[in-house]
Amino acid sequence: MRNVLLLLVLSFLFTACGGGDLPIPKPRSYPRVDYPVRAYENVGADYCPFSFDKPVSATMRQETTFFDDAPPNACWFDLKLAEGLNGSVHFSYYPLKTIADFEFHRDKAFQLTGEHMKRASDIEEIVINRADANVHGIAFDVSGPAASQFQFFLTDSTRHFLRGALYFDAVVNPDSLAPIVAYAKEDVYRMVETFEWR
């Protein structure tokens, strides 16, 4: 009886192991992104003293709160990118009255970008100098797993100062976000190239 019971147990063990192919895990993949067709329109909100070309697929939304308070200026807005890109460019505008105002906001832009050095592997500074339109500034191309991969500020140095930052509503994974970031940067460069004070 003992031998029969032992044979039964062994036969169950051998049949439980199966004889089929072992399962193979699927390789890591990322969701497919449908990029919108590139088309632009010139916009100038009545609450902002400038205009620029924005992607037709993006929408502007004026900010109404800033840490449970009103924003410092009515010209604070988000440019929500196409739904598939899952990102936004946050804009904050400050009127300048003195050279000290300019220096404060310029230094603040560098400080806010510098905060990303904790996670970034590199930050490239790109000088913007469009003398014909009196638009000057710096763009910050951030590499690595930082929260914002691209930031910039534009100014005429005397009356206007605008800061922009590109963010995505996703976990920061530089490899998976790289194609989307590259696509969005082209749109931001177009905004900067067509930017004009009013």
Side-chain angles (χ1 to χ4, degrees):
M1 183 70 171
R2 215 185 251 175
N3 288 339
V4 172
L5 187 59
L6 184 60
L7 282 173
L8 276 172
V9 170
L10 286 175
S11 66
F12 282 128
L13 284 175
F14 285 122
T15 57
C17 293
D21 295 334
L22 292 174
I24 298 173
K26 291 182 180 181
R28 178 175 284 180
S29 62
Y30 301 102
R32 178 180 148 176
V33 176
D34 292 321
Y35 297 99
V37 175
R38 286 203 193 273
Y40 298 94
E41 62 184 346
N42 192 270
V43 294
D46 57 355
Y47 49 85
C48 292
F50 52 81
S51 64
F52 60 90
D53 285 359
K54 77 163 188 70
V56 172
S57 60
T59 55
M60 287 178 69
R61 183 178 59 84
Q62 186 179 15
E63 288 290 334
T64 56
T65 59
F66 179 67
F67 293 109
D68 296 328
D69 206 357
N73 189 282
C75 186
W76 279 38
F77 63 94
D78 289 342
L79 187 66
K80 183 74 174 152
L81 303 178
E83 188 175 333
L85 301 180
N86 200 24
S88 302
V89 182
H90 301 288
F91 288 90
S92 50
Y93 170 79
Y94 302 92
L96 301 177
K97 294 186 174 83
T98 64
I99 191 69
D101 288 345
F102 165 72
E103 290 172 347
F104 173 80
H105 293 300
R106 180 203 57 203
D107 294 347
K108 189 75 171 171
F110 275 95
Q111 177 191 350
L112 290 170
T113 303
E115 290 292 320
H116 295 283
M117 275 309 290
K118 296 171 187 168
R119 302 221 25 174
S121 55
D122 184 41
I123 297 179
E124 179 186 357
E125 294 179 9
I126 304 159
V127 176
I128 300 163
N129 187 15
R130 293 181 44 233
D132 57 322
N134 199 17
V135 175
H136 313 283
I138 295 181
F140 303 96
D141 193 353
V142 182
S143 302
S148 175
Q149 287 76 23
F150 196 79
Q151 299 188 22
F152 63 93
F153 71 83
L154 302 173
T155 183
D156 66 353
S157 303
T158 56
R159 296 175 50 219
H160 307 289
F161 191 94
L162 177 74
R163 184 174 176 279
L166 173 65
Y167 287 95
F168 291 94
D169 300 326
V171 175
V172 180
N173 182 342
D175 293 338
S176 62
L177 280 180
I180 300 170
V181 170
Y183 182 89
K185 278 185 198 175
E186 285 188 42
D187 288 340
V188 175
Y189 281 127
R190 174 70 179 251
M191 291 177 217
V192 170
E193 290 166 0
T194 59
F195 190 92
E196 291 183 355
W197 304 110
R198 291 188 297 174

